[in-house]
Amino acid sequence: MPNPAFASQPLAQAVRHCLGLSLSGALLTLPFAVLAQEGAASPDETGTMVVLGTALKVDTPVLETPRATSLVTNEQMQKRDVSKLDETFQYRSGVVSQPYGSDNNADWLFLRGFSAEASTYQDGLRLFRTGGYFWWMMEPFGLERVELLKGPASILYGEAPPGGVINAISKRPTEEKQGLFEVEVGSDEHRQVGLDVSGPVTDKEDMRYRVIGMYREQDGELDGTYKDRYYFAPSLSVDFSDDTTVTFLASIQKDDGVPTTAFFPAYGTIEGTPFGRVDPSTNLGEPDYDKLDQEQFSLGYALEHQINDTWEFRQNFRYSHLDMDLRSVYAFPSNDSRVVARGIVYRDGEYDAYTVDNQFVARTYGDSYENTFLVGLDYQELNLDYDDGDSFSFGTIDIFDPVYGNYSPVSESALTEHNVDKEQLGFYAQNQLRLNENWIFLVGARHDSVESSDETSSSSTGYDDEQLSLTAGVMYLAGNGLSPYVSYSESFTPLASSDASGNAYEPLEGEQIEVGVKYAPSWFDGYVTAAAFNLKESNTLITSDAGPQRQIGERESTGFEIEGIGYITDSLQLTASYTYTDTRIDFSESQQDKRAPFIPYHMASAWLDYGFDDGALDGLTVGGGVRYVGETDNSPGTGVDREVPSYTLYDAMLRYDFGTNWTAQINANNLTDEKYISGCDYYCYYGESRSVVGSLRYRW
């Protein structure tokens, strides 16, 4: 029989429910997601869990997964007014958010000390970010949740950086009719209107739809910068039979504006000058010439077919098209002068991408075991054609008193045409065995063939590699809620260049050992996870005294992470995390084992929200958070021998539910308007200033 004291604790109930489910029947979940998900019922009302399939690509409870994961739901993003992907994990461990400050043209994250530039997926399929600046941008308003698998993940995803994989899950059609209309206004001329409606197409409920539309406009952090976004995402789920369901997913998005190119010299930011400090809103580009015009379109489907009692087949497919025109002028670093030279990034082109992932899953059972076997074949193809007009000579500017207009536009004759083609074919197999109710064993392998080329009229670069990736893990499920584990995983990243002898570089190879514990005690309505890891990337390129780069470097990250979510009382919820990371990298033959820029030793965060449920304040929720990011180093060889100072930011939220359907909310991020440097490499970057946004939502 269940513990009566425990039965009233919904978070803990969900976690313990996960422990009681089999590998075949439960969905990998973070327990709070069940309650926090928009429109979701409690676990005892639905008997189901929220899917988190990123870690193992099959339905598995989080407490039976020997890897560190995090999840942020749509409801949690709404609580904090998240409008960009790189704001999502600000209250989770192991993630450095917005290291390059506020950028309205890209999402920047570091995962366990490694850049997440090539780590983003949506609905389990890669989002291509290539050509330096052709970055597919995700819109949080269209997402149900965002999942993070920490550490190498090539076993299931192929080519990937070592730090981890971010997988965003699109909103899907619902069985019950529902709708949302919202309006937002705020600082920096923020304006947003959104609509989200869903439900069955007919009374039979074998066909369901969802239509999402959103418009947002907002000024950027720098003078003269802004971005307008139009977003539309329809979807349709069709039950062709009791065993076969297909969900069709589409999206159209257009971004138009002036990019925030926030490259500042150390002189005037972390370094003092006779002229004071550079104002964080200073635009060192050309606001009347700079331009961002990006359109992206996607169309795909998710097929699920139950072949028999043992085997299931799933196929995910997406076609993506991106068209971008970008002009972005930036200033060069300087350590002693107020007048600096400038360059320009110029890109004009488009790409087509195709991704498909085929999976067969077999589930078998015995008296003392449950086994889940996964075998898959996936394919990715990218075709990119673009003009490159980059220049390192675009005039000069006074960083304390900028005067614009002193430049010559990029001419057609200066453009270089690029044709980029890339293909990846991967075959993978994975087996999960649960033995005697207490032991979990995981083993997997994947083989990839990757080929890429970048051709111009005068040059040709590329790579053609094959790679084997392995993973393994073991976990023990103790009866007291503790689940200790140990795991090993690998990753690889090909390099599109050659050494001094003309031989192609070997792929960067990552490997990780992780030891952790997941804890969901019956006496606490929540969970805590902790993990210690050692993560190495070998074959790193370093600068050689002899000229060409040599492949003899290493990047190593060692750390400890802890995070948890729980109800301190029935109305007071706490989300907290702490991260220690020591990331070292070889920069050159003479600069070995140096701290990597942007990665602090210490980070910590905590968010509390309290919901009143009776009396005169019934319907009111107040929340607030604090984020601490410790000191960081800049890149060696910059001429600036000092650390980037730590900073602490405060956020606040006030929400009131009135009537049956209405919600009013106000958010303030960086409440004290702290002026801080988010990090430095060869440049320095100011962090986001205070933002205040008010919203009004109507649900039905």
Side-chain angles (χ1 to χ4, degrees):
M1 294 182 62
N3 185 331
F6 176 70
S8 63
Q9 298 176 340
L11 286 184
Q13 185 182 34
V15 179
R16 306 302 291 181
H17 180 58
C18 279
L19 281 172
L21 292 174
S22 68
L23 284 172
S24 61
L27 301 181
L28 180 58
T29 179
L30 291 183
F32 68 90
V34 179
L35 303 178
Q37 184 179 351
E38 177 185 348
S42 64
D44 52 343
E45 291 174 328
T46 65
T48 61
M49 297 289 104
V50 176
V51 172
L52 178 66
T54 300
L56 301 177
K57 279 193 177 179
V58 291
D59 306 341
T60 310
V62 68
L63 295 180
E64 297 183 2
T65 306
R67 293 289 300 273
T69 61
S70 292
L71 180 148
V72 178
T73 65
N74 177 269
E75 173 67 16
Q76 291 171 326
M77 288 189 281
Q78 282 191 356
K79 275 187 179 181
R80 297 193 291 106
D81 189 43
V82 170
S83 60
K84 290 180 81 265
L85 181 68
D86 56 13
E87 300 170 349
T88 305
F89 295 103
Q90 289 175 336
Y91 285 90
R92 297 295 187 268
S93 64
V95 182
V96 177
S97 298
Q98 298 183 328
Y100 302 105
S102 178
D103 188 339
N104 64 2
N105 189 40
D107 297 308
W108 296 105
L109 297 160
F110 278 85
L111 308 176
R112 289 190 167 177
F114 290 80
S115 173
E117 184 174 340
S119 299
T120 52
Y121 287 71
Q122 189 162 356
D123 301 319
L125 300 174
R126 180 184 296 276
L127 296 177
F128 287 96
R129 297 184 170 186
T130 189
Y133 298 88
F134 290 86
W135 281 36
W136 189 275
M137 296 293 291
M138 279 186 280
E139 172 48 51
F141 188 74
L143 302 179
E144 196 66 63
R145 62 192 181 276
V146 184
E147 308 165 351
L148 169 61
L149 170 63
K150 301 173 186 178
S154 286
I155 169 60
L156 294 176
Y157 294 94
E159 174 191 348
V165 166
I166 296 170
N167 185 28
I169 306 300
S170 303
K171 290 180 178 177
R172 307 294 177 96
T174 58
E175 294 183 355
E176 295 185 0
K177 186 176 181 179
Q178 66 179 44
L180 166 68
F181 176 74
E182 73 169 24
V183 177
E184 292 186 356
V185 295
S187 54
D188 297 321
E189 300 300 318
H190 177 95
R191 304 289 186 271
Q192 178 173 315
V193 58
L195 179 67
D196 178 3
V197 294
S198 182
V201 176
T202 66
D203 294 337
K204 295 176 61 177
E205 298 183 354
D206 58 353
M207 186 178 297
R208 300 163 299 280
Y209 77 96
R210 193 158 192 167
V211 177
I212 302 169
M214 191 275 303
Y215 169 76
R216 180 193 302 122
E217 61 182 35
Q218 184 173 5
D219 289 346
E221 287 283 314
L222 305 184
D223 295 336
T225 63
Y226 74 93
K227 186 162 78 170
D228 299 340
R229 171 171 290 179
Y230 303 85
Y231 175 78
F232 177 65
S235 57
L236 181 70
S237 291
V238 182
D239 298 331
F240 288 97
S241 70
D242 292 340
D243 298 322
T244 305
T245 298
V246 180
T247 299
F248 300 94
L249 299 161
S251 69
I252 302 173
Q253 182 171 304
K254 177 175 173 56
D255 292 334
D256 180 61
V258 175
T260 55
T261 308
F263 293 79
F264 288 93
Y267 187 75
T269 53
I270 63 170
E271 290 285 293
T273 77
F275 317 103
R277 303 279 180 175
V278 178
D279 189 283
S281 64
T282 304
N283 190 340
L284 301 181
E286 284 290 336
D288 292 333
Y289 179 69
D290 290 346
K291 174 184 179 181
L292 168 64
D293 186 356
Q294 178 168 314
E295 298 179 13
Q296 58 188 52
F297 164 79
S298 70
L299 180 63
Y301 63 83
L303 165 67
E304 297 179 352
H305 175 65
Q306 193 69 42
I307 300 173
N308 53 39
D309 291 342
T310 300
W311 286 95
E312 177 188 5
F313 173 69
R314 298 181 299 206
Q315 184 181 76
N316 297 319
F317 168 81
R318 183 171 60 234
Y319 162 74
S320 306
H321 176 82
L322 184 147
D323 193 329
M324 187 189 72
D325 186 0
L326 173 68
R327 299 194 300 257
S328 183
V329 177
Y330 61 95
F332 290 141
S334 171
N335 294 331
D336 57 9
S337 174
R338 63 179 294 162
V339 177
V340 298
R342 296 189 298 174
I344 183 173
V345 171
Y346 184 108
R347 296 288 193 280
D348 186 3
E350 61 183 9
Y351 77 57
D352 295 292
Y354 306 86
T355 54
V356 61
D357 187 8
N358 304 281
Q359 305 169 15
F360 285 93
V361 181
R363 301 177 174 92
T364 55
Y365 314 88
D367 292 338
S368 60
Y369 76 91
E370 299 173 13
N371 196 79
T372 302
F373 175 68
L374 166 71
V375 62
L377 180 70
D378 63 25
Y379 175 75
Q380 305 170 16
E381 179 181 343
L382 172 73
N383 308 116
L384 167 65
D385 297 316
Y386 71 94
D387 291 331
D388 174 353
D390 290 4
S391 171
F392 299 110
S393 179
F394 206 77
T396 61
I397 197 166
D398 187 326
I399 62 176
F400 295 98
D401 186 21
V403 176
Y404 306 114
N406 182 27
Y407 68 92
S408 298
V410 175
S411 64
E412 291 287 335
S413 60
L415 301 180
T416 300
E417 184 177 347
H418 290 255
N419 301 110
V420 178
D421 295 297
K422 180 177 180 179
E423 290 182 282
Q424 176 177 307
L425 179 66
F427 173 80
Y428 57 90
Q430 175 183 270
N431 197 76
Q432 300 165 259
L433 173 65
R434 177 171 178 169
L435 190 63
N436 295 327
E437 296 298 326
N438 297 112
W439 289 98
I440 301 293
F441 299 94
L442 171 70
V443 63
R446 175 182 175 115
H447 180 271
D448 279 286
S449 299
V450 187
E451 184 176 353
S452 179
S453 63
D454 182 352
E455 297 183 355
T456 70
S457 59
S458 60
S459 66
S460 178
T461 61
Y463 53 82
D464 185 356
D465 290 310
E466 294 188 1
Q467 192 77 12
L468 178 67
S469 304
L470 303 174
T471 190
V474 60
M475 171 179 275
Y476 180 76
L477 307 178
N480 59 1
L482 281 170
S483 301
Y485 68 89
V486 60
S487 67
Y488 171 81
S489 54
E490 296 179 343
S491 68
F492 76 99
T493 306
L495 297 174
S497 50
S498 304
D499 61 19
S501 302
N503 300 316
Y505 289 121
E506 295 293 322
L508 305 177
E509 296 182 353
E511 60 177 5
Q512 174 184 268
I513 295 289
E514 177 177 306
V515 179
V517 62
K518 302 182 180 184
Y519 188 38
S522 59
W523 50 265
F524 177 62
D525 191 9
Y527 76 95
V528 178
T529 64
F533 63 89
N534 178 255
L535 176 56
K536 292 182 180 180
E537 179 189 74
S538 57
N539 295 336
T540 303
L541 297 179
I542 67 172
T543 302
S544 171
D545 298 336
Q549 289 182 308
R550 299 179 62 193
Q551 199 168 25
I552 58 173
E554 183 177 87
R555 186 182 183 112
E556 181 174 7
S557 189
T558 303
F560 172 77
E561 302 164 354
I562 183 169
E563 70 176 58
I565 295 180
Y567 279 96
I568 300 174
T569 70
D570 290 343
S571 302
L572 181 63
Q573 186 182 20
L574 170 66
T575 302
S577 72
Y578 168 75
T579 303
Y580 170 81
T581 312
D582 183 8
T583 304
R584 303 279 172 168
I585 187 171
D586 298 335
F587 286 89
S588 67
E589 292 179 318
S590 58
Q591 295 174 318
Q592 302 278 309
D593 196 37
K594 300 293 184 180
R595 277 189 70 189
F598 302 113
I599 312 302
Y601 285 130
H602 304 283
M603 293 190 298
S605 66
W607 174 277
L608 277 168
D609 57 74
Y610 184 86
F612 297 87
D613 56 7
D614 57 18
L617 298 178
D618 184 22
L620 178 67
T621 301
V622 294
V626 57
R627 295 176 277 141
Y628 169 79
V629 178
E631 295 179 340
T632 58
D633 276 3
N634 48 350
S635 296
T638 61
V640 179
D641 188 20
R642 61 166 296 176
E643 291 182 324
V644 180
S646 63
Y647 57 90
T648 303
L649 306 177
Y650 301 92
D651 306 321
M653 180 271 292
L654 182 68
R655 185 173 71 185
Y656 183 61
D657 299 322
F658 58 98
T660 306
N661 309 98
W662 291 92
T663 299
Q665 181 174 316
I666 186 168
N667 288 84
N669 293 328
N670 189 4
L671 186 63
T672 61
D673 200 21
E674 177 78 10
K675 302 296 190 294
Y676 65 99
I677 302 295
S678 59
C680 294
D681 45 17
Y682 291 93
Y683 298 90
C684 289
Y685 309 88
Y686 281 112
E688 268 195 320
S689 61
R690 177 174 53 217
S691 68
V692 180
V693 175
S695 63
L696 181 65
R697 299 186 181 98
Y698 177 76
R699 301 180 188 274
W700 68 91

